[in-house]
Amino acid sequence: DAKTTQPNSMESNEEEPVHLPCNHSTISGTDYIHWYRQLPSQGPEYVIHGLTSNVNNRMASLAIAEDRKSSTLILHRATLRDAAVYYCILSLLNKLVFGAGTILRVKS
Amino acid sequence: NAGVTQTPKFQVLKTGQSMTLQCAQDMNHEYMSWYRQDPGMGLRLIHYSVGAGITDQGEVPNGYNVSRSTTEDFPLRLLSAAPSQTSVYFCASSYGRTGPHYGYTFGSGTRLTVV
């Protein structure tokens, strides 16, 4: 399975945008890029996913590099409720393979 | 909608005991799966199903059995519990048989301790 590389942790100020990077240099042409987040003591929550084009939804935006070897999750205005572990995952067919993720801390 | 419901939320087992973790979804999702999460780690796939009557192994299937007799339910059975199975278990479902082409909905988890 293709691997992803994310920073262990990041810090942001409340009300400011957050850019969470993810490298996936071994991505294959049919791998989807998924982002999930997990708040303490909760199950993962779907954030966004995409294949080639940038994607937007009510929670976030996903910017995918032209060569697809990296992507960035963008939270437009961080709130304290956005503090969580964010997982960047490549998926093929029937599997999501989770890595360690990025711990996002949001300061008030 | 209830989404994905897991029961029980907490369970303590003795080594060698068996039990079934329940997972039910009311979204008519074809794809369902089970993950385990050990402290400080990401989730690892145990088993998954792309529809009633169809199951397959994930990354860490040993010690676990599954079956899928209905679209709604996907129970996970621990045959003979071992301390190494102490973990938090998450059930997830998704629309369509190729689950990762759509977003997953996760349950709130079952925290299992084997003593």
Side-chain angles (χ1 to χ4, degrees):
Chain A
D1 294 317
K3 301 296 185 186
T4 62
T5 303
Q6 299 177 251
N8 290 334
S9 64
M10 292 184 63
E11 201 167 75
S12 172
N13 293 319
E14 199 175 10
E15 303 293 319
E16 291 184 356
V18 182
H19 291 236
L20 295 165
C22 182
N23 287 323
H24 29 78
S25 59
T26 61
I27 191 170
S28 70
T30 50
D31 279 337
Y32 279 74
I33 302 161
H34 282 244
W35 284 84
Y36 287 77
R37 70 181 187 182
Q38 188 174 24
L39 280 65
S41 300
Q42 294 189 24
E45 176 187 25
Y46 168 79
V47 178
I48 201 166
H49 78 293
L51 184 61
T52 55
S53 303
N54 294 344
V55 184
N56 299 294
N57 66 22
R58 63 175 180 82
M59 289 182 69
S61 295
L62 175 60
I64 301 172
E66 195 169 334
D67 64 6
R68 300 208 329 124
K69 293 183 184 297
S70 65
S71 61
T72 302
L73 178 69
I74 303 165
L75 306 180
H76 297 287
R77 288 181 63 201
T79 69
L80 297 178
R81 291 181 298 174
D82 291 322
V85 179
Y86 285 79
Y87 296 100
C88 169
I89 303 162
L90 301 183
S91 71
L92 177 62
L93 295 177
N94 299 312
K95 298 178 183 179
L96 290 181
V97 180
F98 284 76
T102 296
I103 300 170
L104 176 65
R105 299 183 178 89
V106 180
K107 298 184 297 183
S108 59
Chain B
N1 283 343
V4 177
T5 302
Q6 290 185 237
T7 56
K9 293 192 182 303
F10 301 93
Q11 183 71 49
V12 178
L13 286 180
K14 293 183 179 179
T15 297
Q17 285 184 319
S18 63
M19 80 158 293
T20 300
L21 308 185
Q22 301 292 345
C23 176
Q25 52 89 12
D26 61 358
M27 299 171 284
N28 203 31
H29 284 173
E30 294 216 59
Y31 181 88
M32 296 185 75
S33 56
W34 277 100
Y35 287 83
R36 61 177 287 174
Q37 184 173 33
D38 299 322
M41 297 179 64
L43 282 72
R44 291 184 292 171
L45 181 64
I46 304 172
H47 285 285
Y48 65 94
S49 167
V50 298
I54 306 170
T55 64
D56 205 347
Q57 297 181 349
E59 182 184 357
V60 288
N62 292 339
Y64 307 95
N65 271 1
V66 292
S67 61
R68 183 97 178 268
S69 57
T70 67
T71 300
E72 295 78 19
D73 300 297
F74 190 43
L76 178 72
R77 297 182 187 83
L78 279 69
L79 308 174
S80 177
S84 61
Q85 294 179 303
T86 294
S87 189
V88 182
Y89 291 83
F90 291 101
C91 179
S93 73
S94 182
Y95 176 79
R97 294 200 160 196
T98 50
H101 292 184
Y102 303 89
Y104 280 30
T105 301
F106 281 82
S108 57
T110 294
R111 189 174 298 272
L112 176 68
T113 302
V114 182
V115 298

